[in-house]
Amino acid sequence: MTATSTSAVDLTDAAAPSSAHYSGADSGRAAAGPLSSSRAWLSVAGTIFAIAWGGNEFTPLLVMYKRDGLPVTTVDLLLFEYVLGIVPALLIGGPLSDRFGRRLLMRPAPLIAAAGSLLLAFGSSSVPMLSAGRVLCGVALGLAMAVGSSWLKELSQPPFAPETASGTGARRSAMSLTGGFGVGAGVAGVLAQWGPWPDTLPYLINAGLCLAAAVWLARAPETTVPQQTTARLIDDLKVPVGAHRRFRLVALPIALWLFACSATAYAIMPTLMMPKVHGAPIAFSALITVITLGCGFAIQSVARKLDRPGTIRLPVLALALIIAGMALAAVTSGALTLWLTIATAIILGLGFGIGLVAGLLEIERMSRPDDLAGLTAVFYAVSYLGFGFPAVMAMLHDGTGVGYPAMFTILAIAAAGCLGLIARCRRG
């Protein structure tokens, strides 16, 4: 992403490219090849789904590792450690794919995810192996989110597919990610609670799924012609001048809360509820994860219809739900009742789903074709910092005695501050 003086309006227009943007090397895009079809995007969507499955299958098993003797803070750090793989892959993979093509960067991703799942499958008694597995799953997910999302968006447009409504690629990407997160967590939780080899079988299934996705992905057509450039890679991470204000005041305040919502709903709350659901804590954790992500998935198609380009309708709705969810989490963490926990998961899941679509639509509209992957990378890199919340809150609770109700109240106030920032960018 190189700096530009293009206005926000011009960038919005550029984010809905005609077939001319994809007609040849002059525009940095490849023409449709013999393997392309109107369904070529499905192989990329399926691969994103499989990688997201692997990225989130660890989450409902948090309570299993804690129950089996690993310290709470260690397990929460394992949850966060895959961010150490996600962020570099996002920040480097996105710009590299803008330069060298989507296929080169994305095709290794499902293989990396399979390797990560295998390490998790056979490293249940080794924290270093679990850490390595989480980092590899993070690398794969980072590539899927930055490179895969851009590739999917481009394959959803002419000449690779018939003309579709603006934002179709962003919606497909968001739904592939959220669907994979939810299904992976649900299957892993059920197998770990009632299936054989609870700390192994869930990961083996994902490894096989990712290998199958790698074969399917091999037939997806390239959409980006490799570029000859002497520019520094770091320059590709700069936000275009014309998009800077909207990016800073709308996209980033949304990004900050996306996975903070998820981490609150299905990492923190099930841990606090363990004494209340001691009969099936892993299954309960999986249930809360599925509810959170199921609501996030279901609301995305509705969010797309509610969106009005150039307004802040969708971002405001997302932040309002996040504020309400954090406030309810403050109440729930004190009361620790089943129905309040489910209600918290629903509201935070809705906030996550709407926020994800809102953020990706903002990125799609403000990006030019040559900086779409880079801007997407920055957006996701910021959003994944939210997975550090469980570890930080656990350390604060153990080290200072600050209660979870007080911490969630502070988070609700902070989210309200982000809503105030978004309100300053009512139009344009």
Side-chain angles (χ1 to χ4, degrees), residues 19-386:
S19 60
H21 285 112
Y22 296 88
S23 60
D26 289 342
S27 62
R29 293 292 177 264
L35 295 180
S36 65
S37 73
S38 62
R39 295 292 179 182
W41 63 270
L42 279 171
S43 62
V44 180
T47 302
I48 293 173
F49 176 90
I51 292 172
W53 175 315
N56 208 42
E57 63 188 341
F58 182 84
T59 305
L61 308 188
L62 292 171
V63 296
M64 178 186 74
Y65 292 114
K66 293 172 183 176
R67 182 198 62 187
D68 292 347
L70 282 180
V72 172
T73 303
T74 298
V75 177
D76 287 339
L77 284 172
L78 285 170
L79 174 68
F80 178 72
E81 279 177 356
Y82 93 132
V83 178
L84 302 180
I86 289 172
V87 172
L90 280 169
L91 296 180
I92 298 173
L96 282 178
S97 77
D98 284 335
R99 294 187 179 204
F100 303 117
R102 310 305 187 203
R103 283 168 61 93
L104 181 65
L105 273 296
M106 185 62 186
R107 287 183 66 180
L111 301 177
I112 295 171
S117 285
L118 289 174
L119 281 173
L120 291 168
F122 298 109
S124 59
S125 60
S126 169
V127 172
M129 285 185 68
L130 290 174
S131 296
R134 290 294 289 160
V135 171
L136 285 179
C137 287
V139 170
L141 188 58
L143 291 173
M145 297 177 94
V147 183
S149 293
S150 300
W151 199 5
L152 180 55
K153 184 246 184 183
E154 291 158 359
L155 287 172
S156 299
Q157 301 172 153
F160 304 98
E163 191 72 45
T164 57
S166 175
T168 296
R171 178 175 56 84
R172 286 172 174 171
S173 174
M175 295 182 76
S176 298
L177 285 166
T178 308
F181 289 151
V183 174
V187 171
V190 169
L191 290 175
Q193 184 70 67
W194 293 296
W197 316 317
D199 53 5
T200 302
L201 183 59
Y203 300 121
L204 292 179
I205 290 174
N206 179 253
L209 188 65
C210 287
L211 291 175
V215 175
W216 190 17
L217 187 67
R219 294 183 58 82
E222 179 60 86
T223 56
T224 300
V225 173
Q227 302 294 300
Q228 299 296 325
T229 178
T230 59
R232 298 178 306 166
L233 186 63
I234 191 67
D235 292 335
D236 288 347
L237 294 175
K238 293 180 180 178
V239 178
V241 172
H244 186 273
R245 182 173 183 270
R246 188 90 183 177
F247 186 80
R248 176 170 49 87
L249 294 181
V250 179
L252 286 186
I254 296 172
L256 286 169
W257 295 99
L258 289 183
F259 292 106
C261 287
S262 303
T264 294
Y266 56 65
I268 297 175
M269 299 311 301
T271 299
L272 296 178
M273 285 290 292
M274 281 179 65
K276 305 288 185 178
V277 290
H278 52 81
I282 304 171
F284 178 76
S285 178
L287 173 66
I288 295 301
T289 305
V290 170
I291 289 173
T292 304
L293 295 172
C295 290
F297 181 88
I299 200 64
Q300 287 174 18
S301 58
V302 178
R304 173 67 185 80
K305 296 175 182 177
L306 294 175
D307 177 58
R308 292 295 181 273
T311 72
I312 57 171
R313 173 186 294 190
L314 217 55
V316 165
L317 179 57
L319 261 297
L321 286 166
I322 290 166
I323 293 166
M326 290 298 178
L328 185 56
V331 175
T332 304
S333 59
L336 294 180
T337 65
L338 176 66
W339 294 112
L340 280 176
T341 303
I342 292 174
T344 301
I346 291 172
I347 294 175
L348 288 174
L350 294 174
F352 165 79
I354 295 174
L356 183 59
V357 171
L360 289 176
L361 285 173
E362 290 291 334
I363 296 300
E364 185 171 307
R365 287 168 185 150
M366 72 178 64
S367 300
R368 302 169 309 177
D370 63 344
D371 56 33
L372 172 64
L375 266 180
T376 303
V378 175
F379 174 79
Y380 275 130
V382 172
S383 71
Y384 261 98
L385 296 177

